[in-house]
PDB file of all heavy atoms in Angstrom:
ATOM      1  N   HIS H1307       6.810   1.672  -1.544  1.00  0.00           N
ATOM      2  CA  HIS H1307       7.703   0.697  -0.916  1.00  0.00           C
ATOM      3  C   HIS H1307       6.833  -0.177  -0.008  1.00  0.00           C
ATOM      4  O   HIS H1307       6.119   0.331   0.838  1.00  0.00           O
ATOM      5  CB  HIS H1307       8.721   1.504  -0.101  1.00  0.00           C
ATOM      6  CG  HIS H1307       9.555   0.731   0.845  1.00  0.00           C
ATOM      7  ND1 HIS H1307      10.918   0.745   0.755  1.00  0.00           N
ATOM      8  CD2 HIS H1307       9.266  -0.042   1.907  1.00  0.00           C
ATOM      9  CE1 HIS H1307      11.422   0.014   1.733  1.00  0.00           C
ATOM     10  NE2 HIS H1307      10.433  -0.471   2.437  1.00  0.00           N
ATOM     11  N   GLN H1308       6.872  -1.485  -0.200  1.00  0.00           N
ATOM     12  CA  GLN H1308       5.984  -2.395   0.517  1.00  0.00           C
ATOM     13  C   GLN H1308       6.705  -3.155   1.619  1.00  0.00           C
ATOM     14  O   GLN H1308       6.966  -4.338   1.488  1.00  0.00           O
ATOM     15  CB  GLN H1308       5.363  -3.405  -0.454  1.00  0.00           C
ATOM     16  CG  GLN H1308       4.420  -2.809  -1.438  1.00  0.00           C
ATOM     17  CD  GLN H1308       3.710  -3.867  -2.232  1.00  0.00           C
ATOM     18  OE1 GLN H1308       2.494  -3.916  -2.247  1.00  0.00           O
ATOM     19  NE2 GLN H1308       4.448  -4.728  -2.903  1.00  0.00           N
ATOM     20  N   ALA H1309       7.031  -2.471   2.702  1.00  0.00           N
ATOM     21  CA  ALA H1309       7.570  -3.188   3.848  1.00  0.00           C
ATOM     22  C   ALA H1309       6.438  -3.952   4.538  1.00  0.00           C
ATOM     23  O   ALA H1309       6.637  -5.044   5.044  1.00  0.00           O
ATOM     24  CB  ALA H1309       8.228  -2.230   4.824  1.00  0.00           C
ATOM     25  N   ASN H1310       5.249  -3.333   4.564  1.00  0.00           N
ATOM     26  CA  ASN H1310       4.043  -4.010   5.042  1.00  0.00           C
ATOM     27  C   ASN H1310       2.823  -3.264   4.517  1.00  0.00           C
ATOM     28  O   ASN H1310       2.925  -2.112   4.083  1.00  0.00           O
ATOM     29  CB  ASN H1310       4.031  -4.170   6.570  1.00  0.00           C
ATOM     30  CG  ASN H1310       3.973  -2.853   7.300  1.00  0.00           C
ATOM     31  OD1 ASN H1310       3.061  -2.061   7.087  1.00  0.00           O
ATOM     32  ND2 ASN H1310       4.949  -2.607   8.161  1.00  0.00           N
ATOM     33  N   ALA H1311       1.697  -3.913   4.532  1.00  0.00           N
ATOM     34  CA  ALA H1311       0.484  -3.339   3.953  1.00  0.00           C
ATOM     35  C   ALA H1311       0.009  -2.099   4.705  1.00  0.00           C
ATOM     36  O   ALA H1311      -0.592  -1.205   4.104  1.00  0.00           O
ATOM     37  CB  ALA H1311      -0.621  -4.397   3.910  1.00  0.00           C
ATOM     38  N   ARG H1312       0.273  -2.028   6.008  1.00  0.00           N
ATOM     39  CA  ARG H1312      -0.154  -0.859   6.785  1.00  0.00           C
ATOM     40  C   ARG H1312       0.532   0.409   6.304  1.00  0.00           C
ATOM     41  O   ARG H1312      -0.064   1.484   6.315  1.00  0.00           O
ATOM     42  CB  ARG H1312       0.136  -1.068   8.271  1.00  0.00           C
ATOM     43  CG  ARG H1312      -0.747  -2.050   8.956  1.00  0.00           C
ATOM     44  CD  ARG H1312      -0.486  -2.032  10.466  1.00  0.00           C
ATOM     45  NE  ARG H1312       0.899  -1.741  10.766  1.00  0.00           N
ATOM     46  CZ  ARG H1312       1.754  -2.583  11.334  1.00  0.00           C
ATOM     47  NH1 ARG H1312       1.356  -3.777  11.693  1.00  0.00           N
ATOM     48  NH2 ARG H1312       2.991  -2.234  11.568  1.00  0.00           N
ATOM     49  N   ILE H1313       1.786   0.308   5.903  1.00  0.00           N
ATOM     50  CA  ILE H1313       2.505   1.494   5.428  1.00  0.00           C
ATOM     51  C   ILE H1313       1.874   2.001   4.144  1.00  0.00           C
ATOM     52  O   ILE H1313       1.587   3.201   4.011  1.00  0.00           O
ATOM     53  CB  ILE H1313       4.002   1.195   5.234  1.00  0.00           C
ATOM     54  CG1 ILE H1313       4.661   0.963   6.595  1.00  0.00           C
ATOM     55  CG2 ILE H1313       4.694   2.330   4.482  1.00  0.00           C
ATOM     56  CD1 ILE H1313       6.087   0.477   6.519  1.00  0.00           C
ATOM     57  N   SER H1314       1.624   1.127   3.199  1.00  0.00           N
ATOM     58  CA  SER H1314       0.994   1.531   1.933  1.00  0.00           C
ATOM     59  C   SER H1314      -0.352   2.188   2.201  1.00  0.00           C
ATOM     60  O   SER H1314      -0.660   3.249   1.644  1.00  0.00           O
ATOM     61  CB  SER H1314       0.805   0.330   1.012  1.00  0.00           C
ATOM     62  OG  SER H1314       2.031  -0.250   0.687  1.00  0.00           O
ATOM     63  N   ALA H1315      -1.156   1.562   3.033  1.00  0.00           N
ATOM     64  CA  ALA H1315      -2.481   2.099   3.343  1.00  0.00           C
ATOM     65  C   ALA H1315      -2.375   3.433   4.072  1.00  0.00           C
ATOM     66  O   ALA H1315      -3.146   4.363   3.781  1.00  0.00           O
ATOM     67  CB  ALA H1315      -3.264   1.097   4.190  1.00  0.00           C
ATOM     68  N   GLY H1316      -1.426   3.560   4.974  1.00  0.00           N
ATOM     69  CA  GLY H1316      -1.250   4.803   5.721  1.00  0.00           C
ATOM     70  C   GLY H1316      -0.823   5.959   4.837  1.00  0.00           C
ATOM     71  O   GLY H1316      -1.332   7.076   4.977  1.00  0.00           O
ATOM     72  N   VAL H1317       0.104   5.704   3.935  1.00  0.00           N
ATOM     73  CA  VAL H1317       0.551   6.749   3.010  1.00  0.00           C
ATOM     74  C   VAL H1317      -0.604   7.166   2.104  1.00  0.00           C
ATOM     75  O   VAL H1317      -0.872   8.352   1.915  1.00  0.00           O
ATOM     76  CB  VAL H1317       1.775   6.290   2.189  1.00  0.00           C
ATOM     77  CG1 VAL H1317       2.106   7.286   1.089  1.00  0.00           C
ATOM     78  CG2 VAL H1317       2.980   6.088   3.092  1.00  0.00           C
ATOM     79  N   ALA H1318      -1.315   6.190   1.547  1.00  0.00           N
ATOM     80  CA  ALA H1318      -2.449   6.492   0.674  1.00  0.00           C
ATOM     81  C   ALA H1318      -3.508   7.300   1.420  1.00  0.00           C
ATOM     82  O   ALA H1318      -4.022   8.298   0.899  1.00  0.00           O
ATOM     83  CB  ALA H1318      -3.050   5.206   0.116  1.00  0.00           C
ATOM     84  N   ASP H1319      -3.818   6.891   2.635  1.00  0.00           N
ATOM     85  CA  ASP H1319      -4.815   7.588   3.436  1.00  0.00           C
ATOM     86  C   ASP H1319      -4.377   9.026   3.717  1.00  0.00           C
ATOM     87  O   ASP H1319      -5.165   9.963   3.574  1.00  0.00           O
ATOM     88  CB  ASP H1319      -5.067   6.821   4.736  1.00  0.00           C
ATOM     89  CG  ASP H1319      -6.207   7.405   5.531  1.00  0.00           C
ATOM     90  OD1 ASP H1319      -7.314   7.549   4.965  1.00  0.00           O
ATOM     91  OD2 ASP H1319      -5.996   7.736   6.721  1.00  0.00           O
ATOM     92  N   ALA H1320      -3.125   9.202   4.104  1.00  0.00           N
ATOM     93  CA  ALA H1320      -2.618  10.541   4.408  1.00  0.00           C
ATOM     94  C   ALA H1320      -2.647  11.453   3.180  1.00  0.00           C
ATOM     95  O   ALA H1320      -2.805  12.666   3.307  1.00  0.00           O
ATOM     96  CB  ALA H1320      -1.200  10.457   4.957  1.00  0.00           C
ATOM     97  N   LEU H1321      -2.507  10.870   1.996  1.00  0.00           N
ATOM     98  CA  LEU H1321      -2.526  11.647   0.756  1.00  0.00           C
ATOM     99  C   LEU H1321      -3.933  11.771   0.163  1.00  0.00           C
ATOM    100  O   LEU H1321      -4.133  12.480  -0.819  1.00  0.00           O
ATOM    101  CB  LEU H1321      -1.597  11.011  -0.279  1.00  0.00           C
ATOM    102  CG  LEU H1321      -0.113  10.997   0.081  1.00  0.00           C
ATOM    103  CD1 LEU H1321       0.674  10.198  -0.945  1.00  0.00           C
ATOM    104  CD2 LEU H1321       0.435  12.423   0.208  1.00  0.00           C
ATOM    105  N   GLY H1322      -4.890  11.038   0.736  1.00  0.00           N
ATOM    106  CA  GLY H1322      -6.254  11.076   0.223  1.00  0.00           C
ATOM    107  C   GLY H1322      -6.425  10.309  -1.076  1.00  0.00           C
ATOM    108  O   GLY H1322      -7.306  10.623  -1.873  1.00  0.00           O
ATOM    109  N   ILE H1323      -5.582   9.303  -1.287  1.00  0.00           N
ATOM    110  CA  ILE H1323      -5.654   8.499  -2.506  1.00  0.00           C
ATOM    111  C   ILE H1323      -6.436   7.228  -2.192  1.00  0.00           C
ATOM    112  O   ILE H1323      -6.074   6.484  -1.277  1.00  0.00           O
ATOM    113  CB  ILE H1323      -4.234   8.180  -3.033  1.00  0.00           C
ATOM    114  CG1 ILE H1323      -3.542   9.494  -3.411  1.00  0.00           C
ATOM    115  CG2 ILE H1323      -4.297   7.219  -4.220  1.00  0.00           C
ATOM    116  CD1 ILE H1323      -2.108   9.356  -3.815  1.00  0.00           C
ATOM    117  N   PRO H1324      -7.507   6.952  -2.945  1.00  0.00           N
ATOM    118  CA  PRO H1324      -8.334   5.773  -2.666  1.00  0.00           C
ATOM    119  C   PRO H1324      -7.552   4.469  -2.809  1.00  0.00           C
ATOM    120  O   PRO H1324      -6.657   4.356  -3.650  1.00  0.00           O
ATOM    121  CB  PRO H1324      -9.440   5.847  -3.720  1.00  0.00           C
ATOM    122  CG  PRO H1324      -9.388   7.221  -4.293  1.00  0.00           C
ATOM    123  CD  PRO H1324      -7.999   7.738  -4.070  1.00  0.00           C
ATOM    124  N   ALA H1325      -7.913   3.492  -2.012  1.00  0.00           N
ATOM    125  CA  ALA H1325      -7.224   2.191  -1.991  1.00  0.00           C
ATOM    126  C   ALA H1325      -7.181   1.526  -3.362  1.00  0.00           C
ATOM    127  O   ALA H1325      -6.196   0.855  -3.689  1.00  0.00           O
ATOM    128  CB  ALA H1325      -7.891   1.261  -0.977  1.00  0.00           C
ATOM    129  N   GLU H1326      -8.203   1.717  -4.185  1.00  0.00           N
ATOM    130  CA  GLU H1326      -8.207   1.067  -5.506  1.00  0.00           C
ATOM    131  C   GLU H1326      -7.146   1.639  -6.446  1.00  0.00           C
ATOM    132  O   GLU H1326      -6.854   1.060  -7.474  1.00  0.00           O
ATOM    133  CB  GLU H1326      -9.587   1.135  -6.162  1.00  0.00           C
ATOM    134  CG  GLU H1326     -10.104   2.516  -6.457  1.00  0.00           C
ATOM    135  CD  GLU H1326     -10.898   3.153  -5.321  1.00  0.00           C
ATOM    136  OE1 GLU H1326     -10.944   2.599  -4.208  1.00  0.00           O
ATOM    137  OE2 GLU H1326     -11.468   4.219  -5.561  1.00  0.00           O
ATOM    138  N   ARG H1327      -6.532   2.747  -6.068  1.00  0.00           N
ATOM    139  CA  ARG H1327      -5.446   3.327  -6.866  1.00  0.00           C
ATOM    140  C   ARG H1327      -4.058   2.945  -6.338  1.00  0.00           C
ATOM    141  O   ARG H1327      -3.058   3.451  -6.823  1.00  0.00           O
ATOM    142  CB  ARG H1327      -5.566   4.845  -6.887  1.00  0.00           C
ATOM    143  CG  ARG H1327      -6.788   5.334  -7.621  1.00  0.00           C
ATOM    144  CD  ARG H1327      -6.774   6.819  -7.716  1.00  0.00           C
ATOM    145  NE  ARG H1327      -7.991   7.298  -8.341  1.00  0.00           N
ATOM    146  CZ  ARG H1327      -8.241   8.574  -8.556  1.00  0.00           C
ATOM    147  NH1 ARG H1327      -7.373   9.490  -8.205  1.00  0.00           N
ATOM    148  NH2 ARG H1327      -9.364   8.936  -9.130  1.00  0.00           N
ATOM    149  N   VAL H1328      -4.035   2.061  -5.350  1.00  0.00           N
ATOM    150  CA  VAL H1328      -2.772   1.671  -4.724  1.00  0.00           C
ATOM    151  C   VAL H1328      -2.573   0.168  -4.914  1.00  0.00           C
ATOM    152  O   VAL H1328      -2.993  -0.639  -4.088  1.00  0.00           O
ATOM    153  CB  VAL H1328      -2.768   2.032  -3.219  1.00  0.00           C
ATOM    154  CG1 VAL H1328      -1.400   1.782  -2.610  1.00  0.00           C
ATOM    155  CG2 VAL H1328      -3.177   3.484  -3.015  1.00  0.00           C
ATOM    156  N   PRO H1329      -1.934  -0.227  -6.028  1.00  0.00           N
ATOM    157  CA  PRO H1329      -1.715  -1.659  -6.242  1.00  0.00           C
ATOM    158  C   PRO H1329      -0.819  -2.239  -5.147  1.00  0.00           C
ATOM    159  O   PRO H1329       0.014  -1.541  -4.574  1.00  0.00           O
ATOM    160  CB  PRO H1329      -1.019  -1.732  -7.599  1.00  0.00           C
ATOM    161  CG  PRO H1329      -0.868  -0.349  -8.100  1.00  0.00           C
ATOM    162  CD  PRO H1329      -1.373   0.597  -7.075  1.00  0.00           C
ATOM    163  N   SER H1330      -1.016  -3.502  -4.892  1.00  0.00           N
ATOM    164  CA  SER H1330      -0.197  -4.200  -3.906  1.00  0.00           C
ATOM    165  C   SER H1330      -0.026  -5.645  -4.338  1.00  0.00           C
ATOM    166  O   SER H1330      -0.952  -6.240  -4.883  1.00  0.00           O
ATOM    167  CB  SER H1330      -0.873  -4.145  -2.536  1.00  0.00           C
ATOM    168  OG  SER H1330      -0.131  -4.889  -1.596  1.00  0.00           O
ATOM    169  N   ASN H1331       1.147  -6.171  -4.100  1.00  0.00           N
ATOM    170  CA  ASN H1331       1.377  -7.603  -4.308  1.00  0.00           C
ATOM    171  C   ASN H1331       2.081  -8.214  -3.103  1.00  0.00           C
ATOM    172  O   ASN H1331       2.627  -9.297  -3.186  1.00  0.00           O
ATOM    173  CB  ASN H1331       2.140  -7.870  -5.616  1.00  0.00           C
ATOM    174  CG  ASN H1331       3.527  -7.246  -5.637  1.00  0.00           C
ATOM    175  OD1 ASN H1331       3.968  -6.643  -4.660  1.00  0.00           O
ATOM    176  ND2 ASN H1331       4.210  -7.383  -6.751  1.00  0.00           N
ATOM    177  N   ILE H1332       2.027  -7.520  -1.979  1.00  0.00           N
ATOM    178  CA  ILE H1332       2.725  -7.985  -0.775  1.00  0.00           C
ATOM    179  C   ILE H1332       2.192  -9.339  -0.307  1.00  0.00           C
ATOM    180  O   ILE H1332       2.947 -10.158   0.215  1.00  0.00           O
ATOM    181  CB  ILE H1332       2.696  -6.927   0.347  1.00  0.00           C
ATOM    182  CG1 ILE H1332       3.749  -7.256   1.395  1.00  0.00           C
ATOM    183  CG2 ILE H1332       1.310  -6.768   0.937  1.00  0.00           C
ATOM    184  CD1 ILE H1332       4.052  -6.124   2.351  1.00  0.00           C
ATOM    185  N   ALA H1333       0.901  -9.605  -0.522  1.00  0.00           N
ATOM    186  CA  ALA H1333       0.338 -10.895  -0.114  1.00  0.00           C
ATOM    187  C   ALA H1333       0.946 -12.046  -0.907  1.00  0.00           C
ATOM    188  O   ALA H1333       1.046 -13.165  -0.413  1.00  0.00           O
ATOM    189  CB  ALA H1333      -1.184 -10.887  -0.274  1.00  0.00           C
ATOM    190  N   GLU H1334       1.367 -11.760  -2.140  1.00  0.00           N
ATOM    191  CA  GLU H1334       1.955 -12.797  -2.987  1.00  0.00           C
ATOM    192  C   GLU H1334       3.472 -12.901  -2.850  1.00  0.00           C
ATOM    193  O   GLU H1334       4.022 -13.991  -2.948  1.00  0.00           O
ATOM    194  CB  GLU H1334       1.627 -12.534  -4.471  1.00  0.00           C
ATOM    195  CG  GLU H1334       0.170 -12.685  -4.837  1.00  0.00           C
ATOM    196  CD  GLU H1334      -0.668 -11.464  -4.472  1.00  0.00           C
ATOM    197  OE1 GLU H1334      -0.138 -10.341  -4.430  1.00  0.00           O
ATOM    198  OE2 GLU H1334      -1.863 -11.655  -4.205  1.00  0.00           O
ATOM    199  N   VAL H1335       4.146 -11.769  -2.655  1.00  0.00           N
ATOM    200  CA  VAL H1335       5.617 -11.780  -2.683  1.00  0.00           C
ATOM    201  C   VAL H1335       6.282 -11.429  -1.361  1.00  0.00           C
ATOM    202  O   VAL H1335       7.494 -11.549  -1.230  1.00  0.00           O
ATOM    203  CB  VAL H1335       6.166 -10.843  -3.797  1.00  0.00           C
ATOM    204  CG1 VAL H1335       5.677 -11.283  -5.155  1.00  0.00           C
ATOM    205  CG2 VAL H1335       5.810  -9.397  -3.528  1.00  0.00           C
ATOM    206  N   GLY H1336       5.505 -10.954  -0.394  1.00  0.00           N
ATOM    207  CA  GLY H1336       6.086 -10.578   0.892  1.00  0.00           C
ATOM    208  C   GLY H1336       6.759  -9.222   0.831  1.00  0.00           C
ATOM    209  O   GLY H1336       6.553  -8.437  -0.083  1.00  0.00           O
ATOM    210  N   ASN H1337       7.584  -8.948   1.827  1.00  0.00           N
ATOM    211  CA  ASN H1337       8.287  -7.682   1.942  1.00  0.00           C
ATOM    212  C   ASN H1337       9.431  -7.662   0.940  1.00  0.00           C
ATOM    213  O   ASN H1337      10.456  -8.287   1.148  1.00  0.00           O
ATOM    214  CB  ASN H1337       8.809  -7.503   3.368  1.00  0.00           C
ATOM    215  CG  ASN H1337       9.610  -6.227   3.546  1.00  0.00           C
ATOM    216  OD1 ASN H1337       9.852  -5.477   2.609  1.00  0.00           O
ATOM    217  ND2 ASN H1337      10.027  -5.987   4.769  1.00  0.00           N
TER     218      ASN H1337
END
């Protein structure tokens, strides 16, 4: 769920999943 990029990064970090495995399009489409 992309409310903001920090949430995606925080969840990935907490799970130990590298950033390259976490697609994001928030910069293009917003929240």
Side-chain angles (χ1 to χ4, degrees):
H1307 168 122
Q1308 293 188 123
N1310 65 57
R1312 288 188 327 246
I1313 291 172
S1314 299
V1317 171
D1319 187 54
L1321 296 173
I1323 297 174
E1326 62 271 8
R1327 293 185 184 180
V1328 187
S1330 176
N1331 62 3
I1332 197 165
E1334 292 80 28
V1335 300
N1337 177 356

